[in-house]
Amino acid sequence: GYRSLASLKRSWSDMTSRYAEFGAKMEPLARLRETDSGMEARLLAGPYPNQAEAAKSCMRLKAMGVGCAVTVYTGQPLAAVK
């Protein structure tokens, strides 16, 4: 997770420029949660048509060294997060 929204947004920008997997069809979301050490932001990309497609994409990303996990696509649109 990310400790700041600024670093989460920078990461999305970096990933879209480096990996074709994050093409124009992907919409980034931010999911915020409170931990014992403070707020944490998670970056989500999607939506995928189904869980199987999300898992395939995640496997390709992992093969390129990108951390990834399949989860429910819910959160705040990254463009709306300040």
Side-chain angles (χ1 to χ4, degrees):
Y2 299 89
R3 294 289 174 212
S4 76
L5 293 173
S7 62
L8 181 137
K9 288 180 177 184
R10 278 193 305 274
S11 181
W12 176 252
S13 179
D14 180 54
M15 286 191 283
T16 56
S17 66
R18 293 177 60 194
Y19 303 106
E21 196 74 34
F22 296 110
K25 295 179 183 178
M26 294 287 109
E27 292 292 328
L29 297 180
R31 186 181 298 157
L32 306 175
R33 71 182 186 119
E34 193 168 343
T35 67
D36 290 340
S37 58
M39 290 300 280
E40 178 183 76
R42 293 285 175 129
L43 178 61
L44 288 80
Y48 286 90
N50 56 54
Q51 188 174 4
E53 289 301 314
K56 286 180 196 175
S57 180
C58 193
M59 285 175 31
R60 288 190 297 270
L61 290 166
K62 284 182 177 181
M64 293 185 277
V66 178
C68 183
V70 176
T71 188
V72 177
Y73 182 69
T74 60
Q76 298 173 323
L78 198 55
V81 176
K82 306 248 185 252

